[in-house]
């Protein structure tokens, strides 16, 4: 298994994908920083600025994840598709599930590393504008990192679609559709990859006063994290089974 | 040129782009109409002077800002994918076909596909409104104007995306480029202060055409003198000529 993971790493290590993991958080955090700068310069208190940061994070971060996860999974799969090497891989003494899991591993790592960069980015913005004393690590994990942890079922689902699609138009289109499917499936469709995510995502803060309350109480909910892993495993298993049955041209 | 367009039709007729053209507009339109009917009208008892216009406004949050630019990127990438996969560029360019015409036929084919997308979006919205029993009269003129201006706004974007897709052999790379650059449109078009940035950002031109001009309900003279049209033409010429220049240069070097 470790050799499969190593092989995948060799395939992408010098690609633009590695840069994308850094560029997306950088661009997002730069825009957040600009918004905060404008806000603080227009007679708003640091507390209000702090509220703005987490409101914007709640409103837009999940959409950024919804866009980037399909890109990660499509990229990991497109290398085999473009070079038409699926058949060559299958004639080698390699278990198909190992090929599949290695791709899942890297899609997950890409997403989680991007999450860490987002957390650092948001912290640095707060540090730069002298509002870091308002932010706690609990809150950063709860508001900024948990959307990435809760995206595990979504990653598994997108990887499944990417692995069994002949070209990557369909998985990317489905990924884009997530920005509408997530709110549509919220609560009633919690078991779907989009509904799971939107149902368990931290709600947008109602006010910056509410954030003060949250500073001590908020933490990553263990049960929703476990559910995320469980549903991720279910979608992964479905994907592996489908991948085994799929005929590649 | 007609023969080249027929060839493009043959290349794409059995691909899955037709599903994209049908389904990608349907999703934001259904969502926009549902938000209007279920949340604005039934829950918040919002009273609108024209149901269709307000529902179209709700649809405009997602369709012209995200789905339409992304769809045009996917179409451009698909149109070039056939050539990249079979290494057809070099083969075709050795035939007695004008390179310029070949490139322009791809651009023209994309404009037709996006025009078709807009017509489908219009029909889907009209059907969604009819199913939802909108009371007020359907604003045909404003809707048609909005659809046409959105399509017109997409022309420079298509030219740019075609240039990118023809340049990069990696299909995913060009799609990723288009998808990521569609993200800021949401912020640009939604902001009153940063709206002017949209004129310098081709990804936001379809949304500017479809939303802002529609809101003002202008006369023909207003439309013709609007900076949107002039900027659009400027961007179109720049993107198309640059794209063609780099296409010929790149393929000649191979």
């Amino acid at each position: 298994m470790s050799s499969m993971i190593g092989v995948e790493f060799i395939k992408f290590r010098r690609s633009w994908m590695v840069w994308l993991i850094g560029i997306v958080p950088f661009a997002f955090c730069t825009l957040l920083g600009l918004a905060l700068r404008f806000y603080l310069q227009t007679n708003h208190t640091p507390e209000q600025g702090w509220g703005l940061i987490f409101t914007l994070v709640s409103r837009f971060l999940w959409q950024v994840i919804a866009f980037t996860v399909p890109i990660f999974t499509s990229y990991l799969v497109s290398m085999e598709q473009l070079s038409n090497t699926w058949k060559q891989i299958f004639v080698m003494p390699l278990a198909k599930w190992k090929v599949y899991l290695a791709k899942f591993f890297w899609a997950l790592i890409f997403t989680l590393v991007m999450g860490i960069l987002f957390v650092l980015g948001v912290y640095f913005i707060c540090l730069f504008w002298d509002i870091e004393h308002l932010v706690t690590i609990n809150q950063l994990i709860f508001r900024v990192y948990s959307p990435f942890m809760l995206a595990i079922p979504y990653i598994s689902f997108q990887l499944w679609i990417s692995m069994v699609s002949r070209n990557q138009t369909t998985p990317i289109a489905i990924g884009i559709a997530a920005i509408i499917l997530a709110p549509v499936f919220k609560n009633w469709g919690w078991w779907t990859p989009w509904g799971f995510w939107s149902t368990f995502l931290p709600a947008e803060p109602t006010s910056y006063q509410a954030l003060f309350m949250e500073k001590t109480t908020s933490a990553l909910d263990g049960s929703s994290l476990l559910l995320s892993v469980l549903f991720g495993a279910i979608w992964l298993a479905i994907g592996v089974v489908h991948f085994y049955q799929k005929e590649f041209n | 040129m007609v023969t080249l367009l027929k060839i493009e039709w043959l290349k794409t007729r059995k691909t899955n782009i037709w599903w994209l053209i049908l389904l990608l507009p349907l999703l934001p339109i259904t969502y926009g109409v549902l938000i209007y009917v279920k949340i604005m009208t039934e829950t918040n008892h919002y009273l609108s002077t024209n149901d269709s216009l307000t529902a179209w406004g709700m649809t405009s949050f997602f369709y012209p800002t995200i789905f339409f630019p992304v769809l045009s990127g996917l179409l451009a990438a698909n149109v070039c994918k056939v050539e990249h996969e079979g290494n057809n560029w070099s083969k075709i360019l050795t035939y007695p076909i004008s390179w310029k015409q070949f490139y322009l036929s791809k651009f023209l084919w994309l404009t037709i596909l996006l025009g078709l997308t807009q017509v489908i979006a219009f029909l889907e919205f009209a059907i969604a409104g009819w199913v939802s029993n909108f009371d007020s009269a359907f604003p045909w003129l404003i809707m048609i104007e909005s659809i046409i201006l959105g399509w017109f706004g997409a022309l420079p974007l298509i030219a740019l995306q075609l240039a990118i897709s023809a340049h990069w052999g990696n299909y995913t790379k060009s799609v990723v480029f288009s998808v990521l650059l569609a993200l800021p449109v949401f912020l640009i078009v939604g902001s009153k202060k940063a709206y002017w940035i949209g004129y310098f950002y081709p990804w936001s031109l379809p949304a500017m055409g479809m939303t802002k001009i529609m809101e003002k309900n202008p006369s023909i003279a207003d439309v013709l003198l609007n900076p949107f049209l002039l900027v659009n033409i400027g961007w179109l010429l720049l993107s198309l000529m640059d794209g063609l220049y780099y296409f010929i240069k790149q393929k000649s070097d191979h």
Side-chain angles (χ1 to χ4, degrees), chain A residues 18 20-22 25 72 105-121 145 148-149 155:
Chain A
V18 181
L20 191 71
I21 298 167
F72 290 155
F105 175 82
W106 283 112
L108 184 68
I109 292 292
F110 284 170
T111 313
L112 295 182
V113 168
M114 195 171 76
I116 293 170
L117 295 177
F118 264 100
V119 170
L120 292 175
Y145 202 62
F148 292 89
M149 304 285 270
I155 299 169

Side-chain angles (χ1 to χ4, degrees), chain B:
Chain B
M1 188 55 99
V2 177
T3 318
L4 284 170
L5 282 175
K6 276 183 191 165
I7 291 168
E8 289 301 325
W9 154 247
L10 288 174
K11 282 177 194 166
T12 44
R13 68 177 174 164
K14 284 186 181 170
T15 59
N16 59 0
I17 62 165
W18 306 105
W19 286 108
L20 291 180
I21 289 174
L22 200 68
L23 293 177
L24 276 187
L26 181 66
L27 204 62
I29 285 169
T30 314
Y31 186 63
V33 172
L34 272 177
I35 291 276
Y36 175 69
V37 174
K38 295 285 172 195
I39 295 175
M40 287 179 75
T41 315
E42 286 180 14
T43 312
N44 297 336
H45 306 291
Y46 179 81
L47 287 173
S48 169
T49 48
N50 191 305
D51 294 326
S52 300
L53 267 188
T54 317
W56 183 244
M58 299 309 296
T59 299
S60 300
F61 279 121
F62 289 110
Y63 175 57
T65 51
I66 301 279
F67 283 76
F68 194 54
V70 167
L71 178 63
S72 73
L74 288 173
L75 293 178
N78 266 289
V79 161
C80 294
K81 185 173 175 269
V82 189
E83 320 298 350
H84 286 305
E85 276 182 351
N87 200 15
N88 288 354
W89 295 116
S90 321
K91 290 175 200 163
I92 290 171
L93 298 176
T94 55
Y95 299 147
I97 300 169
S98 157
W99 292 17
K100 207 184 287 179
Q101 274 193 358
F102 180 61
Y103 187 84
L104 290 178
S105 73
K106 288 209 176 286
F107 173 73
L108 209 58
W109 180 237
L110 283 172
T111 60
I112 293 169
L113 288 178
L114 279 191
L116 180 70
T117 307
Q118 288 290 73
V119 172
I120 288 171
F122 177 73
L123 291 175
E124 285 173 348
F125 180 75
I127 292 168
W130 176 67
V131 170
S132 310
N133 285 325
F134 285 167
D135 290 334
S136 38
F138 191 76
W140 289 98
L141 191 66
I142 298 175
M143 284 299 300
I144 290 170
E145 258 178 15
S146 170
I147 289 290
I148 291 174
L149 287 172
W151 170 76
F152 186 63
L155 298 184
L157 183 60
I158 302 169
L160 200 61
Q161 284 169 332
L162 176 64
I164 293 162
S165 301
H167 182 77
W168 276 333
N170 189 325
Y171 168 81
T172 318
K173 205 170 170 181
S174 52
V175 168
V176 167
F177 192 75
S178 299
V179 169
L180 287 181
L181 289 179
L183 274 173
V185 177
F186 222 35
L187 301 171
I188 293 170
V189 178
S191 159
K192 279 180 184 162
K193 288 192 173 171
Y195 186 72
W196 59 272
I197 298 174
Y199 290 116
F200 301 95
Y201 197 67
W203 273 259
S204 59
L205 290 172
M208 290 172 88
M210 253 188 268
T211 55
K212 293 289 175 184
I213 283 185
M214 185 190 77
E215 280 171 19
K216 289 173 189 162
N217 193 13
S219 65
I220 297 292
D222 290 336
V223 172
L224 290 174
L225 295 172
N226 196 294
F228 167 76
L229 289 191
L230 301 173
V231 169
N232 219 33
I233 292 167
W235 265 115
L236 175 61
L237 291 175
L238 191 74
S239 313
L240 201 56
M241 287 193 306
D242 272 2
L244 189 58
Y245 170 76
Y246 282 107
F247 172 74
I248 293 173
K249 190 172 181 289
Q250 186 200 21
K251 304 305 171 197
S252 324
D253 290 344
H254 277 281

Side-chain angles (χ1 to χ4, degrees), chain A residues 111-208:
Chain A
T111 313
L112 295 182
V113 168
M114 195 171 76
I116 293 170
L117 295 177
F118 264 100
V119 170
L120 292 175
V122 171
Y123 181 72
F124 279 122
I125 292 168
C126 296
L127 198 67
F128 193 76
W129 291 103
D130 294 328
I131 59 166
E132 83 282 0
H133 58 284
L134 296 167
V135 182
T136 61
I137 186 74
N138 262 3
Q139 207 166 30
L140 279 176
I141 290 175
F142 178 63
R143 292 240 160 242
V144 187
Y145 202 62
S146 67
F148 292 89
M149 304 285 270
L150 296 175
I152 298 173
Y154 182 60
I155 299 169
S156 304
F157 178 79
Q158 279 298 139
L159 183 68
W160 168 33
I161 304 293
S162 288
M163 290 291 264
V164 297
S165 297
R166 248 185 238 165
N167 81 41
Q168 294 305 306
T169 310
T170 313
I172 288 178
I174 292 173
I176 303 305
I179 63 163
I180 280 181
L181 295 175
V184 166
F185 282 102
K186 190 174 179 174
N187 296 327
W188 70 274
W190 67 273
W191 47 272
T192 61
W194 315 284
F196 178 84
W197 203 21
S198 53
T199 305
F200 294 105
L201 274 176
E204 197 174 304
T206 45
S207 63
Y208 72 86

